[in-house]
Amino acid sequence: MKAVTWQGKRDVRVEEVPDPEIQEPTDAVIRITSSGLCGSDLHLYEVLTPFMTPGDILGHEPMGVVEEVGPEVPNLKRGDRVVVPFQISCGHCYMCSSGLQTQCETTQVTSEGMGAALFGYTRLYGAVPGAQAEYLRVPQAHYGPIKVPVGPADDRFVYLSDVLPTAWQAVAYADVPPGGTVAVLGLGPIGDMACRIARVRGAEQVFGVDLVPERLERARRRGVKTYDLRDFDSEKELVAAIRDETHGRGPDAVIDAVGTEAHGSAVAKMVQQAAAVMPRRLSGPLAERFSVDRLAAFYTAIELVRRGGTISLSGVYGGSADPLPMLTMFDKQIQLRMGQANVRRWVDDILPYLTDEDVLGVDDFATHRLPLTDAPHAYEMFQHKQDGAVKVLMTP
C-alpha cells in the first residue's frame, strides 16, 4: 500500500509499504477514505525529529471502512463506516473507566514513561504505524473505532478523530462560566474549532488571537472578536486591549492552542534546531533532557487570564528543561488543565452537533482536499501557511 513516511527533518515521502495485517485478536484493519493533516504532525516535521525513525508512517486523523476484524472484536464487521481516535485505548482499565483514555494502562508506553500509545507519533508514544495511508491496523478495535452513519460526506465525521474532541476538551477544561469570556490563542484547526464550541456552549464573548489573515477572517465570520498580533508592538498592548473588553480584569479563561512552536525565544528555537540536525545517538538524549519550549503563547496566557481564571493548554508542549516541567505536566494532564484529548470521553457530547444543521461548520471546515500522493506538498504548504491552508484532508 501507499503511505506517507517520515525520512528526516522536513522530508516526508509517499512510499510503498507492506499492507497491515491482523496481529492480535482485538485488532481490525480499515480501508482509509480520509485522513487529516494535523498541526501536531508539523512537530514531527520540524521539532520532534530526534524521536522519529526514517520510514515511520505518519498521521492520526483517519476514517474509513472496516475490511477485517479479529475474533475479539464483536462490535464491528466488514463494511462498517468508522472514525478512529488518535489514541489507542482499551476501554476497561482504571484510566479508561475514569474518562482518561490518553492514560490507558493497557497501552501506556511505560518504556518511555509516557501515556497511551498514539497512531503515527514517535517512539515516545509507541511508534505505531500511522493513518496517512491506504490501510490502517487498529489495535484495541473492540473499543476505539466510532461507528458513524453511511450517507454524509467524510467531512461530517472525520474530525471526531482529533479536532473535535481536542477542541471540546480545551473548552471543557477552560471551565468558562455561563455568560463568561474566553480568549483563544492560535486560530489553527484546534483554536478555530474551540472558538466555535465555546460559542455554542454559551460563552458570551470569545476573543481570538493569531497573525495569519485567513485564520482571523474565518474566526470573525463565526462571531469571534479577533486580534491580529501584527497590530501590537508588545504582549502588554495585546493584553491591555483584551482587558479593556472585560472590565479591566481579563477573560475568565484562556485556551493556548499554539504550543511549543509559538513565536519568541531565539534560544529555545536554537536548541530545537540543533537537536533536529544532530546525529540520532546525540539528538535523542539532548531533546529528552535539555529540550526547551518556545513558551511565548503560554506566557501570554498567564498574563492575560483574570485572577482566579483558568488556563487550558491544548497546544502540544514537549520540553523537559523549561522554567516549568512541561513534558511531565502535559503528558500526565496535571492542572492547570492540559493534555491529549480523551476522545471517547467526549464523543457522545459532540455527536448531537453533527447533524444536517451543522452548527459547528464541519462540512466546510477543510480548506484543502488533496490526494495522498500530494502529501509532501501538503506538509510544506501547511508548515508555511501558504494558500490559506488551515485544515488539510488527504484521500488515498
Side-chain angles (χ1 to χ4, degrees):
M1 69 171 184
K2 289 183 171 61
V4 180
T5 64
W6 184 92
Q7 299 296 336
K9 182 177 180 179
R10 301 182 196 146
D11 183 4
V12 300
R13 305 175 195 173
V14 180
E15 298 189 322
E16 289 287 338
V17 301
D19 289 352
E21 298 177 345
I22 298 291
Q23 298 178 19
E24 301 290 341
T26 53
D27 285 352
V29 172
I30 72 164
R31 174 176 54 83
I32 294 173
T33 55
S34 291
S35 191
L37 174 55
C38 179
S40 296
D41 293 323
L42 296 183
H43 295 300
L44 313 182
Y45 191 64
E46 181 82 24
V47 178
L48 298 179
T49 57
F51 305 112
M52 299 294 290
T53 301
D56 283 351
I57 300 175
L58 300 171
H60 58 267
E61 296 187 350
M63 72 173 295
V65 178
V66 174
E67 291 288 311
E68 188 178 359
V69 296
E72 294 182 18
V73 186
N75 53 317
L76 293 180
K77 64 182 185 303
R78 180 180 173 87
D80 282 344
R81 190 185 193 198
V82 295
V83 179
V84 180
F86 69 89
Q87 83 259 161
I88 302 168
S89 53
C90 71
H92 56 73
C93 70
Y94 172 82
M95 289 294 178
C96 287
S97 299
S98 301
L100 294 169
Q101 289 88 350
T102 58
Q103 311 303 327
C104 175
E105 292 174 321
T106 300
T107 73
Q108 274 181 15
V109 187
T110 54
S111 61
E112 300 288 349
M114 304 300 275
L118 310 179
F119 288 104
Y121 213 78
T122 82
R123 66 171 172 80
L124 295 178
Y125 288 101
V128 181
Q132 291 168 6
E134 292 182 302
Y135 294 90
L136 177 70
R137 171 182 166 253
V138 182
Q140 306 296 324
H142 61 285
Y143 176 68
I146 303 157
K147 287 198 283 190
V148 297
V150 174
D154 280 7
D155 297 55
R156 180 72 57 84
F157 302 112
V158 67
Y159 305 115
L160 284 169
S161 60
D162 184 349
V163 173
L164 282 165
T166 297
W168 190 279
Q169 179 171 293
V171 175
Y173 280 9
D175 196 25
V176 184
T181 57
V182 58
V184 179
L185 307 181
L187 298 174
I190 302 302
D192 184 344
M193 186 57 73
C195 289
R196 301 178 188 203
I197 290 169
R199 286 182 56 80
V200 302
R201 291 190 57 164
E204 181 176 334
Q205 288 181 295
V206 180
F207 310 106
V209 181
D210 207 291
L211 47 66
V212 180
E214 294 85 357
R215 295 181 175 188
L216 291 161
E217 177 57 29
R218 276 167 62 100
R220 273 195 294 270
R221 291 199 301 265
R222 307 290 304 194
V224 176
K225 185 172 180 60
T226 59
Y227 295 82
D228 188 334
L229 280 173
R230 298 170 301 173
D231 293 340
F232 299 92
D233 293 329
S234 68
E235 173 200 81
K236 291 188 180 298
E237 287 188 8
L238 170 67
V239 169
I242 297 177
R243 281 181 177 165
D244 285 346
E245 299 291 330
T246 57
H247 308 288
R249 289 189 292 269
D252 298 306
V254 177
I255 295 172
D256 174 358
V258 179
T260 190
E261 291 193 274
H263 292 270
S265 181
V267 173
K269 181 178 182 180
M270 180 181 68
V271 174
Q272 290 175 350
Q273 292 178 337
V277 298
M278 291 175 68
R280 289 178 54 79
R281 63 184 177 84
L282 299 177
S283 63
L286 173 66
E288 287 181 279
R289 299 178 187 177
F290 304 110
S291 61
V292 181
D293 285 308
R294 301 171 71 186
L295 294 166
F298 184 41
Y299 290 152
T300 298
I302 294 170
E303 180 69 19
L304 178 58
V305 72
R306 70 161 170 81
R307 294 180 182 274
T310 302
I311 296 175
S312 173
L313 300 184
S314 63
V316 173
Y317 286 98
S320 54
D322 292 326
L324 297 172
M326 293 299 302
L327 177 61
T328 300
M329 292 171 66
F330 182 86
D331 185 64
K332 294 177 68 176
Q333 297 185 224
I334 295 171
Q335 315 300 319
L336 317 163
R337 300 303 300 272
M338 64 179 67
Q340 309 281 6
N342 303 295
V343 174
R344 290 305 301 255
R345 175 176 178 177
W346 307 113
V347 166
D348 289 344
D349 294 329
I350 297 168
L351 279 171
Y353 293 92
L354 303 184
T355 63
D356 288 341
E357 287 74 22
D358 193 21
V359 295
L360 296 176
V362 294
D363 286 348
D364 60 359
F365 190 71
T367 55
H368 293 74
R369 295 171 181 79
L370 300 172
L372 190 70
T373 51
D374 284 355
H377 167 65
Y379 271 82
E380 183 178 9
M381 175 180 66
F382 193 31
Q383 171 76 355
H384 294 290
K385 302 177 177 65
Q386 298 170 339
D387 193 28
V390 177
K391 186 61 185 177
V392 180
L393 295 179
M394 292 184 284
T395 305

